[in-house]
Amino acid sequence: PKISVVTTVYNKEKSIRKCIESILSQSFSDFELILVDDSSKDNSLEICKEYAAKDNRIKIILRENGGHAIARNTGIINSKGDYIIFVDGDDSFSDDHALADLFRIAEIDKSDIVISDFLGSWNTEFVPFQKLTGIKMLEFLISENFYHPTPCSRLFRREVFINNLFENLISDDELWTPVTFYRANVVSILNKSIYCRTTPDDSVTRIDSEQNYFRKANDKSLTAGLVINYFENQQIKTASK
């Protein structure tokens, strides 16, 4: 397949149907959908099996519960596409031409990454260019307050994952994304919103408890240190950014 869509699933019985159907309804059909079930305790797996029985593009992978980052890595390792995109089990595509548009730009620009309007906050005059180097794109997005560390709604060339998987952190994307942008030679922009994002109350990033609060605080501190360390090792001055 040209594209591997990786979706991690853990207790998503309320949202996984909408997620899967938004992927299967894409006008671009040369993809595989990898559903990584992280030992769900509800009916998520049964729902995934229902769709897999009807569409041979769907592959289900069962794994012991290890968290979001490890589940993503499992999907990456088992994928075969030239490009990889992540769609979380809570989320869905809001545009039936999302994959087609992302793939078209990636092929034209020879992009390592194609990003889209994840937050739905860009305007039509937002982008004065179509592509930049990864570090220049990162600087631009941060300067315009449009940066978000999510890997979702972005198409990645397979090669960016070589020696570059997710760390097992709550804030895994806050480390992985800037490092991946730095490694990218070409990052292109699809200047429209294609992704419907939700953050359910049972998300690990939203659960309100004293234990989770301190875990998140420690995790973010560790992640910030790792990011700074990485860029300092690459001889980039982070103090001015």
Side-chain angles (χ1 to χ4, degrees), residues 1-6 23 26-34 57-59 75-76 78-87 93 97-107 114 154-158 161 194:
K2 294 296 185 182
I3 297 176
S4 294
V5 183
V6 174
I23 297 167
Q26 289 294 300
S27 60
F28 184 93
S29 60
D30 190 7
F31 67 84
E32 63 176 354
L33 170 56
I34 300 177
R57 293 175 298 178
I58 298 176
K59 178 194 299 182
I76 295 166
N78 287 277
S79 68
K80 297 180 180 179
D82 297 333
Y83 299 91
I84 297 173
I85 189 169
F86 301 100
V87 180
F93 284 122
H97 304 293
L99 292 183
D101 289 342
L102 291 165
F103 180 76
R104 173 178 51 80
I105 291 174
E107 290 289 283
V114 183
R154 297 166 176 178
L155 188 70
F156 300 93
R157 188 176 295 276
R158 179 172 206 83
F161 296 96
I194 60 169

Side-chain angles (χ1 to χ4, degrees), residues 82-148:
D82 297 333
Y83 299 91
I84 297 173
I85 189 169
F86 301 100
V87 180
D88 283 348
D90 302 307
D91 303 339
S92 58
F93 284 122
S94 58
D95 188 312
D96 288 344
H97 304 293
L99 292 183
D101 289 342
L102 291 165
F103 180 76
R104 173 178 51 80
I105 291 174
E107 290 289 283
I108 291 172
D109 290 351
K110 306 301 181 187
S111 314
D112 297 303
I113 307 171
V114 183
I115 65 174
S116 65
D117 184 1
F118 178 70
L119 298 176
S121 57
W122 300 355
N123 56 58
T124 54
E125 299 176 355
F126 161 65
V127 186
F129 46 77
Q130 181 174 327
K131 61 182 179 181
L132 289 172
T133 64
I135 193 64
K136 289 295 184 183
M137 184 67 77
L138 189 62
E139 291 173 348
F140 172 75
L141 294 172
I142 292 172
S143 69
E144 296 294 322
N145 292 320
F146 287 127
Y147 175 71
H148 195 289

